[in-house]
Amino acid sequence: MPDGSLSPRPLRDADALAAVGLIPPEALPALRAVTARYAVSITPAMAALVDPTDPADPIAAQYVPQAAELDATAQEREDPIADAPHTPVKGVTHRYPDRALLKPLLACPVYCRFCFRREQVGPAGGVLTEAELDTALDWFAAHPAVREAILTGGDPLMLSPRRLRHIVARLSAMPHIEIIRLHTRVPVADPSRVTEAMAEALDTETALFLCLHANHAREFTGEARTALRRLSRAGVALLGQSVLLRGVNDTAEAMEDLLRTMLAHRVKPYYLHQLDRAPGTARFEVPIAEGRALLESLRGRVTGLAWPTYALDLPEGQGKAPIGPDFAERREGGWHVRGPLGGDHFHPDGAA
């Protein structure tokens, strides 16, 4: 836990971080430059989890800025997954034929230092006006091939329950929208926002899934458990997504702990993302070969319920490609399959 008294409000600049002991005073000049470029916000819930005496603290790694963020590599891009070319109207991103993103705002409770939208998100919020939101929702209504609406941003649970209820109701009234999905960090990063009113705003007959972003088991506090139970009781199906991050969850022990903790909170691990190469994020990258080996070491060691799809979001909006470990190899007459509990098996082709 940081030194000094934690503010009841999020910490939003380098001086505020220094005041509670999350960064040393001598780092202030460099980190003021970082925070002038990229948004900072650390909620009291997350600040309380940081051990400032541990230079490798996995919570601090995710949220506390570092000077290296201003050093971009040649492989990094401001829009690494190409949102912009696939934006038919403001607030909508459409890549896949059957689903599209709705981004009603660009504000988050916390700003991850590895965020692939770090050039767009910030405390100003980028909230769609009523007219812009209507135009975005009208776009969904006019595209019957789109069966799934994915609320992201920014974090949709930063909206008021009233506005969120309006969006869910509009989407639910469209006969072709079969699934509504929300991507959020709020239940772990700012669990007090998950009120009964917020849970009620998500009440719909349309299949609704909440995809929780969490990267370390310590993020699942008692308050987070309460928030997730409130959502679960409201009929919200809970999925989990994480980013493979150097120094946060890149060991078998840390990843196993994260996946097991998700399940213990009724959150089904869904995606494990390879890092998107946004500017100044190189220190977080884990090579794909290492990520595959890490997941392979867990196969058979944790329940299949804990197994996420390891995926790379391809540049130019080409979609998410599964990149997980392979256990089967084609051989003449069949398949050579490695057993996760040991041993090999030849599975011959069946009769034609």
Side-chain angles (χ1 to χ4, degrees):
M1 184 173 179
D3 296 330
S5 298
L6 282 176
S7 168
R9 297 179 180 179
L11 305 168
R12 296 194 180 275
D13 57 47
D15 291 273
L17 297 177
V20 298
L22 285 178
I23 61 174
E26 61 270 20
L28 268 174
L31 295 185
R32 283 176 181 141
V34 174
T35 59
R37 172 75 185 277
Y38 298 118
V40 170
S41 179
I42 306 178
T43 58
M46 291 295 97
L49 295 180
V50 174
D51 178 1
T53 67
D54 179 5
D57 182 81
I59 307 300
Q62 295 182 67
Y63 303 123
V64 177
Q66 292 191 22
E69 294 180 38
L70 297 181
D71 299 327
T73 71
Q75 295 177 323
E76 294 172 347
R77 298 288 182 269
E78 291 187 4
D79 186 9
I81 63 171
D83 276 353
H86 298 275
T87 299
V89 300
K90 187 175 181 180
V92 174
T93 300
H94 186 212
R95 293 190 188 88
Y96 295 93
D98 71 331
R99 77 212 81 150
L101 306 181
L102 173 61
K103 295 181 283 187
L105 80 171
L106 293 174
C108 300
V110 289
Y111 293 104
C112 303
R113 310 323 301 167
F114 50 86
C115 178
F116 67 92
R117 290 196 180 110
R118 63 198 323 240
E119 299 282 356
Q120 290 83 44
V121 297
V127 181
L128 296 183
T129 66
E130 291 292 343
E132 290 168 342
L133 180 60
D134 282 342
T135 298
L137 290 167
D138 288 345
W139 182 94
F140 278 88
H143 288 77
V146 173
R147 296 168 176 257
E148 181 176 3
I150 303 168
L151 275 65
T152 182
D155 194 314
L157 293 195
M158 294 292 284
L159 295 170
S160 70
R162 179 197 62 79
R163 196 168 175 86
L164 188 58
R165 183 183 301 109
H166 168 71
I167 293 171
V168 169
R170 281 284 307 272
L171 291 170
S172 298
M174 300 176 193
H176 57 282
I177 297 295
E178 300 170 352
I179 301 170
I180 299 172
R181 193 190 335 159
L182 297 92
H183 286 196
T184 180
R185 247 195 186 294
V186 161
V188 292
D190 196 5
S192 64
R193 293 189 66 88
V194 184
T195 60
E196 291 292 346
M198 180 70 74
E200 289 171 5
L202 302 179
D203 185 14
T204 175
E205 292 300 313
T206 303
L208 189 145
F209 296 83
L210 184 144
C211 195
L212 174 72
H213 178 183
N215 299 311
H216 195 273
R218 271 170 46 201
E219 294 177 66
F220 290 85
T221 61
E223 292 79 8
R225 178 183 287 274
T226 298
L228 291 167
R229 286 290 288 119
R230 179 168 287 150
L231 292 166
S232 181
R233 285 196 300 270
V236 176
L238 303 175
L239 303 174
Q241 66 174 354
S242 307
V243 182
L244 181 59
L245 299 168
R246 178 69 75 203
V248 176
N249 54 24
D250 58 327
T251 66
E253 293 75 20
M255 184 59 66
E256 179 178 354
D257 199 16
L258 170 62
L259 299 177
R260 289 188 184 279
T261 302
M262 278 191 175
L263 285 181
H265 288 74
R266 305 188 183 197
V267 177
K268 166 69 179 78
Y270 172 45
Y271 268 126
L272 175 64
H273 297 281
Q274 181 67 10
L275 181 75
D276 294 314
R277 288 173 170 168
T281 63
R283 69 187 185 280
F284 289 108
E285 184 161 354
V286 178
I288 289 176
E290 190 175 329
R292 285 165 60 97
L294 187 158
L295 276 183
E296 183 173 330
S297 73
L298 296 180
R299 192 69 188 180
R301 183 164 136 186
V302 298
T303 171
L305 284 171
W307 192 255
T309 296
Y310 182 30
L312 172 66
D313 218 329
L314 300 176
E316 300 179 12
Q318 295 173 340
K320 291 183 178 68
I323 55 174
D326 300 319
F327 290 84
E329 180 182 350
R330 181 67 183 168
R331 300 281 178 86
E332 184 177 355
W335 291 85
H336 176 258
V337 182
R338 294 182 296 112
L341 299 180
D344 296 324
H345 171 73
F346 183 75
H347 187 77
D349 291 335

